[in-house]
Amino acid sequence: MATFNVNDIRNDFPILSEKAYGKPLVYFDNAATSQKPQVVIDALVNYYSHSNANIHRGVHFLSQRASEAFDNVREKVRAFINASSEKEIIFVKGTTEAINLVAATYGRKNIGKGDEILISAMEHHSNIVPWQLLCEEKGAVLKVIPMNDKGELVLDKLNTLLSDRTKLVSLVHVSNSLGTINPVKEIIAQAHKKGIPVLIDGAQSTAHAPIDVQDLDADFFAFSGHKILGPTGVGCLYGKLQLLEEMPPYQGGGEMISSVTFEKTTYNEVPYKFEAGTPNIADVIALGTAIDYWNNLDRLGAAAWEEELLEYATSKISAIPGVRIIGTAEKKAGVLSFVIEGVNAMDAGMYLDTKGVAVRTGQHCTEPVMLRFGVPGTIRASFMFYNTMEEIDSLVENLGKAIQLLQPQTAL
Amino acid sequence: MSTMQEIEDEIVEDFNLFDGWEEKYQYIIELGQKLPALEEQYKSDEYKIKGCQSSVWLHGEEREGKLFFEADSDSTFVKGEIALLINVLSGQPAEEILNAKLEFIDKIGLRQHIAVTRANGLSSMIKQMKTYAFAASNHSKQI
C-alpha cells in the first residue's frame, strides 16, 4: 500500500526547489494552477521527441503511435472520474471551454425565452458569463442560490429556486475564492426530482478528492488538466451519453465531421462530434501521465495532509491581529482567503513575493463574491499536497512583517 | 528646480544602492507612505484612472506655465510608484512632460518586478499625466 510522505513527494516536482530572489520558493497559488511532477514534463518532451504526428488519419508509424497514446488517455480520464463510457469524455481546453460548450450546445437547444438557469453566489466568472450570454441571446433568466456569511450556500429555498422554468443548474463543486465544498450530490438529487440536469464545475475539486460522476449523478462535469498536475490548455467535459448524443455540435471542422458535401454535412459520433480540429495531442497525453501519477499516489493520505495544512494555516493566520478570514464554511478544501485591516491585499502579496512566498491577491475572478463580503479583494493562499508546515510558518512570519511595514501606525 | 533628467538620474542613483527587489519594494512603500493625501474633492470618479488594478486618483493643475500633480491610491505601493512620477514630472513645463521618456522606470528595474496588469496601471498613470500636459500645452498655444 502506498503511503504519503511529503518530503518524498516534493522530489517529484522540480520547480519546488526553485528560488525566488535567492529565497526558497513557497508556492501557495495552487488554486490558479498546480505545479507539475517531472513525469508530466517528461511526457511532453517525449511526445515531441518520439511521437509527434497528427492523429487518427495518418497511416504511418508515428501517427499510429501518437493516436494510440492519445486514445489511451480517454480511458484513463473515464476511470479517473468513473464515467460509464469513454464516449462521455470530451477533450477541451479547460473548464471554461467545457462550460461554454454546454452553454452553446445544450443551452442553445434547450433553453428559451423565460426559462431559468440556476447558478450559485460563489461561482467564478467562467460559470457566470457563458450563462449570461445565453440568457441575453434567448431571453432566459439567470437565478442565483445565495450564500451565508460563512460562505456556505443557503439551500432552504432551493426547492423554490428550482422552478418549473429551470432548465439547468450549473454549480461549482469547490469555491476557488472561499474554499467551500458544496453538497453537490444532494443538490443534484433535488434538481433531478424535477427533471433538471446539473453541470458541476470541478475545476477546484478534482485535485482534492476522488471524483465519481456516477455516484454524484452529475449530468455534466468539467475540469482542467493544469489544476491536477497536468499541462495547461487541456481539460475535459464529461456528459451523460444520452445528453451528448442529443446535443448539436459545438465547432465545425476536422474530426467532428462524418461526411461533407456542399448540400449537407453529417457529424461524427460522440465524443468526436465535439472535438473539432487537431486536438491538443501532446497535452492530452501528458494529462494521461498526470492521471497515472494520481493513481500511484496515496490519495487519501494526500487529502488528509492537505486538511492538516489548511487547519494549521487557519489557526496560525486567524491568530494574527486584524486578520479576517473570508470563507469559514464547515467543509472546506485547501483555500485560505483573508483580508488584513488597513493593509491593501496587493501590497501584502507583493511584499510576500519579495520573500519568495507566492500567493494570489485580488478578486480571483469572483467579483460577486468580493461584493458579497464587502471587500475589494483578498489574499489567498491555496494549498496542494506537496506544501509543508514550514512553508506555512514562512507565510505567517512574513505576513507579520508585511503588516508591520504596511499598516498605518496608530497614534500613541 | 532641477531638470527632469537630473531628477531621474538621482532616482536611478538611489535605487542603485539597493541590493535586490526586497529593498526596492520597501523604499517604494516608504515613498507611498510619505506622499501627502489627496484632497477629498479629487477622490471622485472624475479623477480616477482607468486601467489600474488598484484605485488611483490623479489631479493636475497648471501654475505659471508649469504643471503640478497630486495623487492617491488605496495601494501604498502604487502610491509609491506615483510618488516617483510626481517627483520627476510635477513642477515641469507641459511641453517637457509631453516629451518625457521616463527611462528611469526601466533603469531602476521597476517594470521587471511588477506584473503585467500593474505595469499597465503604471502606463495608465503616465498617460494620464501626459494628457494633462497635452491639454495644458494646447491651452498655452491658444493664448
Side-chain angles (χ1 to χ4, degrees), chain B residues 50-80:
Chain B
K50 294 188 179 84
C52 283
Q53 207 178 321
S54 359
S55 297
V56 179
W57 300 269
L58 175 76
H59 171 247
E61 205 174 87
E62 193 184 354
R63 292 200 294 269
E64 296 165 7
K66 288 174 178 170
L67 264 179
F68 294 85
F69 295 106
E70 48 186 352
D72 210 338
S73 170
D74 54 355
S75 153
T76 314
F77 185 85
V78 174
K79 269 171 88 169

CSV table of all heavy atoms in Angstrom, one decimal, chain B residues 50-80:
chain,number,residue,atom,x,y,z
B,50,LYS,N,-8.4,54.9,-15.1
B,50,LYS,CA,-8.8,53.5,-15.6
B,50,LYS,C,-7.6,52.7,-16.0
B,50,LYS,O,-6.6,53.3,-16.5
B,50,LYS,CB,-9.8,53.7,-16.7
B,50,LYS,CG,-11.1,54.3,-16.4
B,50,LYS,CD,-12.1,54.2,-17.5
B,50,LYS,CE,-13.4,54.8,-17.1
B,50,LYS,NZ,-13.5,56.3,-17.3
B,51,GLY,N,-7.7,51.4,-15.8
B,51,GLY,CA,-6.6,50.6,-16.2
B,51,GLY,C,-5.7,50.2,-15.1
B,51,GLY,O,-4.7,49.5,-15.3
B,52,CYS,N,-5.9,50.7,-13.9
B,52,CYS,CA,-5.1,50.4,-12.7
B,52,CYS,C,-5.8,49.2,-12.0
B,52,CYS,O,-7.0,49.3,-11.8
B,52,CYS,CB,-4.9,51.5,-11.8
B,52,CYS,SG,-3.7,52.7,-12.4
B,53,GLN,N,-5.1,48.3,-11.5
B,53,GLN,CA,-5.7,47.2,-10.8
B,53,GLN,C,-6.2,47.7,-9.4
B,53,GLN,O,-7.2,47.3,-8.9
B,53,GLN,CB,-4.7,46.1,-10.6
B,53,GLN,CG,-5.4,44.7,-10.4
B,53,GLN,CD,-4.4,43.6,-10.2
B,53,GLN,OE1,-3.4,43.6,-10.9
B,53,GLN,NE2,-4.7,42.7,-9.4
B,54,SER,N,-5.4,48.7,-8.9
B,54,SER,CA,-5.9,49.3,-7.7
B,54,SER,C,-6.5,50.7,-8.1
B,54,SER,O,-6.3,51.1,-9.2
B,54,SER,CB,-4.8,49.6,-6.7
B,54,SER,OG,-3.6,49.1,-7.2
B,55,SER,N,-7.2,51.3,-7.1
B,55,SER,CA,-7.8,52.6,-7.5
B,55,SER,C,-6.7,53.7,-7.4
B,55,SER,O,-6.0,53.8,-6.4
B,55,SER,CB,-8.9,53.0,-6.5
B,55,SER,OG,-9.9,52.0,-6.7
B,56,VAL,N,-6.6,54.6,-8.4
B,56,VAL,CA,-5.7,55.7,-8.4
B,56,VAL,C,-6.5,56.9,-8.8
B,56,VAL,O,-7.2,56.9,-9.7
B,56,VAL,CB,-4.5,55.5,-9.4
B,56,VAL,CG1,-3.6,56.7,-9.3
B,56,VAL,CG2,-3.8,54.2,-9.0
B,57,TRP,N,-6.3,58.0,-8.0
B,57,TRP,CA,-6.8,59.3,-8.3
B,57,TRP,C,-5.7,60.3,-8.6
B,57,TRP,O,-4.7,60.3,-7.8
B,57,TRP,CB,-7.7,59.8,-7.2
B,57,TRP,CG,-8.9,58.9,-6.9
B,57,TRP,CD1,-10.1,58.9,-7.4
B,57,TRP,CD2,-8.8,57.8,-5.9
B,57,TRP,NE1,-10.9,57.9,-6.8
B,57,TRP,CE2,-10.1,57.2,-5.9
B,57,TRP,CE3,-7.9,57.3,-5.0
B,57,TRP,CZ2,-10.5,56.2,-5.1
B,57,TRP,CZ3,-8.2,56.2,-4.2
B,57,TRP,CH2,-9.5,55.7,-4.3
B,58,LEU,N,-5.8,61.0,-9.7
B,58,LEU,CA,-4.8,61.9,-10.0
B,58,LEU,C,-5.4,63.3,-10.4
B,58,LEU,O,-6.3,63.4,-11.1
B,58,LEU,CB,-4.0,61.4,-11.2
B,58,LEU,CG,-2.9,62.3,-11.8
B,58,LEU,CD1,-1.7,62.3,-10.9
B,58,LEU,CD2,-2.6,61.9,-13.2
B,59,HIS,N,-4.8,64.3,-9.8
B,59,HIS,CA,-5.2,65.7,-10.1
B,59,HIS,C,-4.0,66.5,-10.6
B,59,HIS,O,-3.0,66.5,-10.0
B,59,HIS,CB,-5.9,66.3,-8.9
B,59,HIS,CG,-6.2,67.8,-9.1
B,59,HIS,ND1,-5.5,68.8,-8.4
B,59,HIS,CD2,-7.0,68.4,-9.9
B,59,HIS,CE1,-6.0,69.9,-8.7
B,59,HIS,NE2,-6.9,69.8,-9.7
B,60,GLY,N,-4.2,67.2,-11.7
B,60,GLY,CA,-3.1,68.1,-12.2
B,60,GLY,C,-3.6,69.5,-12.3
B,60,GLY,O,-4.8,69.8,-12.5
B,61,GLU,N,-2.7,70.4,-12.1
B,61,GLU,CA,-3.0,71.9,-12.1
B,61,GLU,C,-1.9,72.6,-12.8
B,61,GLU,O,-0.7,72.4,-12.5
B,61,GLU,CB,-3.3,72.3,-10.7
B,61,GLU,CG,-4.2,73.5,-10.6
B,61,GLU,CD,-4.5,73.8,-9.1
B,61,GLU,OE1,-3.6,74.6,-8.5
B,61,GLU,OE2,-5.4,73.3,-8.6
B,62,GLU,N,-2.3,73.6,-13.6
B,62,GLU,CA,-1.2,74.4,-14.2
B,62,GLU,C,-1.0,75.7,-13.5
B,62,GLU,O,-2.0,76.4,-13.1
B,62,GLU,CB,-1.7,74.8,-15.7
B,62,GLU,CG,-0.6,75.3,-16.5
B,62,GLU,CD,-1.1,75.7,-17.9
B,62,GLU,OE1,-2.3,75.5,-18.2
B,62,GLU,OE2,-0.3,76.3,-18.6
B,63,ARG,N,0.2,76.0,-13.1
B,63,ARG,CA,0.5,77.3,-12.5
B,63,ARG,C,1.8,77.9,-13.1
B,63,ARG,O,2.8,77.2,-13.1
B,63,ARG,CB,0.8,77.1,-11.0
B,63,ARG,CG,-0.5,76.6,-10.2
B,63,ARG,CD,-0.3,76.9,-8.7
B,63,ARG,NE,0.7,76.1,-8.1
B,63,ARG,CZ,0.5,74.9,-7.5
B,63,ARG,NH1,-0.7,74.4,-7.5
B,63,ARG,NH2,1.5,74.2,-6.9
B,64,GLU,N,1.6,79.1,-13.6
B,64,GLU,CA,2.7,79.8,-14.3
B,64,GLU,C,3.5,79.0,-15.3
B,64,GLU,O,4.7,78.8,-15.2
B,64,GLU,CB,3.7,80.4,-13.2
B,64,GLU,CG,3.0,81.4,-12.3
B,64,GLU,CD,3.8,81.6,-11.0
B,64,GLU,OE1,5.0,81.1,-10.9
B,64,GLU,OE2,3.3,82.3,-10.1
B,65,GLY,N,2.7,78.4,-16.1
B,65,GLY,CA,3.4,77.6,-17.2
B,65,GLY,C,3.9,76.2,-16.8
B,65,GLY,O,4.6,75.6,-17.6
B,66,LYS,N,3.7,75.9,-15.6
B,66,LYS,CA,4.2,74.6,-15.1
B,66,LYS,C,3.0,73.7,-14.6
B,66,LYS,O,2.0,74.3,-14.1
B,66,LYS,CB,5.2,74.7,-14.1
B,66,LYS,CG,6.5,75.2,-14.7
B,66,LYS,CD,7.6,75.5,-13.6
B,66,LYS,CE,8.9,76.0,-14.3
B,66,LYS,NZ,9.8,76.5,-13.3
B,67,LEU,N,3.2,72.4,-14.7
B,67,LEU,CA,2.1,71.5,-14.2
B,67,LEU,C,2.5,70.9,-12.9
B,67,LEU,O,3.6,70.5,-12.7
B,67,LEU,CB,1.9,70.4,-15.2
B,67,LEU,CG,0.8,70.6,-16.3
B,67,LEU,CD1,0.8,69.4,-17.2
B,67,LEU,CD2,-0.5,70.7,-15.6
B,68,PHE,N,1.5,70.9,-12.0
B,68,PHE,CA,1.7,70.3,-10.7
B,68,PHE,C,0.7,69.2,-10.5
B,68,PHE,O,-0.5,69.3,-10.8
B,68,PHE,CB,1.6,71.4,-9.6
B,68,PHE,CG,2.7,72.4,-9.7
B,68,PHE,CD1,2.5,73.5,-10.5
B,68,PHE,CD2,3.8,72.2,-8.9
B,68,PHE,CE1,3.6,74.4,-10.7
B,68,PHE,CE2,4.9,73.2,-9.1
B,68,PHE,CZ,4.7,74.3,-9.9
B,69,PHE,N,1.2,68.0,-9.9
B,69,PHE,CA,0.4,66.9,-9.8
B,69,PHE,C,0.3,66.5,-8.3
B,69,PHE,O,1.2,66.7,-7.5
B,69,PHE,CB,0.9,65.7,-10.5
B,69,PHE,CG,0.9,65.8,-12.0
B,69,PHE,CD1,2.1,66.1,-12.7
B,69,PHE,CD2,-0.2,65.7,-12.7
B,69,PHE,CE1,2.1,66.2,-14.0
B,69,PHE,CE2,-0.2,65.8,-14.1
B,69,PHE,CZ,1.0,66.1,-14.8
B,70,GLU,N,-0.9,65.9,-8.0
B,70,GLU,CA,-1.1,65.3,-6.7
B,70,GLU,C,-1.9,64.0,-6.9
B,70,GLU,O,-2.7,64.0,-7.9
B,70,GLU,CB,-1.7,66.2,-5.6
B,70,GLU,CG,-2.9,67.0,-6.1
B,70,GLU,CD,-3.4,68.0,-5.1
B,70,GLU,OE1,-2.9,68.0,-4.0
B,70,GLU,OE2,-4.3,68.7,-5.5
B,71,ALA,N,-1.7,63.0,-6.1
B,71,ALA,CA,-2.4,61.8,-6.4
B,71,ALA,C,-2.6,60.9,-5.1
B,71,ALA,O,-2.0,61.2,-4.0
B,71,ALA,CB,-1.6,61.0,-7.4
B,72,ASP,N,-3.4,59.9,-5.2
B,72,ASP,CA,-3.6,59.0,-4.1
B,72,ASP,C,-4.0,57.6,-4.6
B,72,ASP,O,-4.4,57.5,-5.8
B,72,ASP,CB,-4.7,59.5,-3.2
B,72,ASP,CG,-4.5,59.1,-1.7
B,72,ASP,OD1,-3.8,58.1,-1.5
B,72,ASP,OD2,-5.1,59.7,-0.8
B,73,SER,N,-3.9,56.6,-3.8
B,73,SER,CA,-4.3,55.3,-4.2
B,73,SER,C,-4.6,54.5,-3.0
B,73,SER,O,-4.2,54.8,-1.9
B,73,SER,CB,-3.2,54.6,-5.0
B,73,SER,OG,-3.5,53.2,-5.2
B,74,ASP,N,-5.4,53.4,-3.1
B,74,ASP,CA,-5.7,52.5,-2.0
B,74,ASP,C,-4.5,51.6,-1.8
B,74,ASP,O,-4.5,50.9,-0.8
B,74,ASP,CB,-7.0,51.8,-2.2
B,74,ASP,CG,-7.1,51.0,-3.5
B,74,ASP,OD1,-6.1,51.1,-4.3
B,74,ASP,OD2,-8.1,50.3,-3.7
B,75,SER,N,-3.6,51.5,-2.7
B,75,SER,CA,-2.4,50.7,-2.5
B,75,SER,C,-1.2,51.6,-2.2
B,75,SER,O,-0.9,52.5,-3.0
B,75,SER,CB,-2.2,49.9,-3.8
B,75,SER,OG,-0.8,49.6,-4.0
B,76,THR,N,-0.5,51.3,-1.2
B,76,THR,CA,0.6,52.1,-0.8
B,76,THR,C,1.7,51.9,-1.8
B,76,THR,O,2.5,52.9,-2.1
B,76,THR,CB,1.2,51.6,0.6
B,76,THR,OG1,0.1,51.5,1.5
B,76,THR,CG2,2.1,52.6,1.2
B,77,PHE,N,1.9,50.7,-2.4
B,77,PHE,CA,2.9,50.5,-3.4
B,77,PHE,C,2.6,51.4,-4.6
B,77,PHE,O,3.5,52.1,-5.2
B,77,PHE,CB,3.0,49.1,-3.8
B,77,PHE,CG,4.1,48.8,-4.8
B,77,PHE,CD1,5.4,48.5,-4.3
B,77,PHE,CD2,3.9,48.8,-6.2
B,77,PHE,CE1,6.4,48.2,-5.2
B,77,PHE,CE2,4.9,48.5,-7.0
B,77,PHE,CZ,6.2,48.3,-6.5
B,78,VAL,N,1.4,51.4,-5.1
B,78,VAL,CA,1.0,52.3,-6.2
B,78,VAL,C,1.2,53.7,-5.9
B,78,VAL,O,1.7,54.5,-6.7
B,78,VAL,CB,-0.4,52.0,-6.7
B,78,VAL,CG1,-0.9,52.9,-7.8
B,78,VAL,CG2,-0.6,50.6,-7.2
B,79,LYS,N,0.9,54.1,-4.6
B,79,LYS,CA,1.2,55.5,-4.2
B,79,LYS,C,2.7,55.8,-4.3
B,79,LYS,O,3.1,56.9,-4.7
B,79,LYS,CB,0.8,55.7,-2.8
B,79,LYS,CG,-0.7,56.2,-2.7
B,79,LYS,CD,-1.1,56.2,-1.2
B,79,LYS,CE,-0.8,57.4,-0.5
B,79,LYS,NZ,-1.5,57.5,0.8
B,80,GLY,N,3.5,54.8,-4.0
B,80,GLY,CA,5.0,54.9,-4.1
B,80,GLY,C,5.4,55.1,-5.6
B,80,GLY,O,6.2,56.0,-5.9
